[in-house]
Amino acid sequence: MAVVPQEAINRFGALMEGVDEPMKRTFKNHVYLLPFVHYPSDPFILQNIHQGYPHESLIRFLKAREGDVAKAYKMLCDCLKWRVENNIDGILAKPIVPVNLYRDIRDTQLIGLSGYSNEGLPVYAVGVGMSTLDRASVHYYIQSHIQMNEYRDRVVLPAATKKYGKLVSKCIKVLDMTGLKLSALNYIKLMTTISSIDDLNYPEKTLTYYIVNAPYIFSACWKVVKPLLHERTRRKINVLSGCGQDELLKVASLPCSFFLRRCH
């Protein structure tokens, strides 16, 4: 859905007036309200979802539900309940300990900020093929993933917004399939859970997924994974030839080391 009607945004904003107090406590004031948009009379807007841009957040949830206001409202309310029930606002203050466990997770769940696109969007490299996800329980890998999402939304995206002088609310992900094995399907349940968390609670946060270094077994794995992904996620996936250097350099400024590790 390319354009969200203003009338739908206004109706959505009006519905948000009725959210419960526990959810409002995850909101904050002093936000940047945009003209001609109806917002709750109580000036509390979700603290860690919109980062001062409630208009953009309403649009994200509307796009995730094809402009259906009632469905978008339910989706956002469910998201707020999830945040309250799981204390997501406080998750960055809950480190994974001991430190050896944290290091094991980071060594087997490979993701890192690698640069920025020409439009200022953060570019994350995800080592899908080399991520074994086998040194901790599912709980800790999910916690780690949510923490990375929250750090992106609270720190990385606001910093990019300030740096580039415009709202930066999305990122780009480069999924490196180097080392991919059929055994990766052993973790399909975990990957599906993580994908579901992103779809339901962090909608429209990734502009494009670029897949690089896809080995011959990628097609077999893709046949299993593809049906589990939401259609709007599948539409964002772009499989590049080889390491994708030529295509990626057209859209992003990435260091030489990024390609040295991926292009052979």
Side-chain angles (χ1 to χ4, degrees):
M1 185 176 186
V3 179
V4 176
Q6 186 64 54
E7 184 270 340
I9 299 172
N10 291 343
R11 286 171 52 206
F12 194 3
L15 285 173
M16 291 307 296
E17 290 187 4
V19 297
D20 296 335
E21 284 303 319
M23 291 190 289
K24 283 186 178 181
R25 284 197 292 270
T26 68
F27 284 32
K28 73 173 182 180
N29 54 9
H30 305 303
V31 299
Y32 301 96
L33 298 180
L34 301 181
F36 312 115
V37 179
H38 182 92
Y39 294 110
S41 55
D42 186 354
F44 287 93
I45 306 296
L46 184 59
Q47 178 179 7
N48 293 318
I49 284 184
H50 72 73
Q51 292 301 322
Y53 293 87
H55 178 271
E56 184 273 340
S57 290
L58 296 180
I59 291 175
R60 286 196 298 110
F61 280 85
L62 281 166
K63 284 186 175 181
R65 289 298 178 262
E66 302 298 329
D68 188 307
V69 175
K71 291 181 179 179
Y73 171 70
K74 182 181 185 304
M75 183 184 187
L76 180 52
C77 286
D78 288 344
C79 172
L80 298 183
K81 291 175 183 176
W82 172 77
R83 296 186 69 90
V84 170
E85 292 171 358
N86 295 280
N87 189 27
I88 301 301
D89 286 350
I91 198 168
L92 291 181
K94 185 181 178 182
I96 295 175
V97 291
V99 67
N100 287 343
L101 174 61
Y102 172 76
R103 288 173 178 167
D104 283 344
I105 292 172
R106 298 300 294 125
D107 287 344
T108 55
Q109 187 181 35
L110 304 176
I111 181 171
L113 179 62
S114 297
Y116 292 85
S117 76
N118 298 335
E119 299 299 321
L121 278 64
V123 178
Y124 285 90
V126 185
V128 177
M130 301 298 288
S131 293
T132 56
L133 306 173
D134 60 355
R135 294 189 189 173
S137 68
V138 169
H139 165 79
Y140 283 115
Y141 281 112
I142 291 175
Q143 178 183 341
S144 173
H145 179 78
I146 294 172
Q147 286 176 325
M148 286 187 281
N149 279 355
E150 292 294 310
Y151 187 82
R152 174 199 64 200
D153 292 352
R154 302 188 207 182
V155 179
V156 177
L157 292 177
T161 294
K162 182 177 181 180
K163 177 180 179 180
Y164 291 95
K166 62 180 180 180
L167 174 61
V168 178
S169 61
K170 299 177 184 288
C171 69
I172 291 172
K173 291 183 179 179
V174 179
L175 310 181
D176 189 350
M177 298 295 163
T178 298
L180 183 68
K181 300 177 182 177
L182 284 174
S183 58
L185 295 177
N186 294 334
Y187 305 102
I188 192 68
K189 184 176 181 180
L190 171 58
M191 291 186 287
T192 301
T193 299
I194 287 175
S195 177
S196 178
I197 288 172
D198 286 351
D199 282 340
L200 296 176
N201 302 291
Y202 303 93
E204 300 299 318
K205 278 295 185 178
T206 301
L207 179 67
T208 308
Y209 298 87
Y210 291 107
I211 292 178
V212 300
N213 292 325
Y216 71 95
I217 65 167
F218 170 74
S219 58
C221 294
W222 181 237
K223 288 180 181 178
V224 176
V225 174
K226 184 177 180 179
L228 303 176
L229 300 177
H230 194 283
E231 173 59 27
R232 71 175 186 276
T233 299
R234 294 200 295 266
R235 290 196 297 263
K236 297 177 181 179
I237 295 174
N238 189 354
V239 181
L240 303 182
S241 175
C243 66
Q245 181 172 353
D246 293 340
E247 292 86 350
L248 291 175
L249 285 176
K250 292 177 183 177
V251 299
S253 298
L254 298 168
C256 293
S257 58
F258 178 90
F259 296 105
L260 286 175
R261 291 194 296 269
R262 293 172 175 82
C263 300
H264 308 289

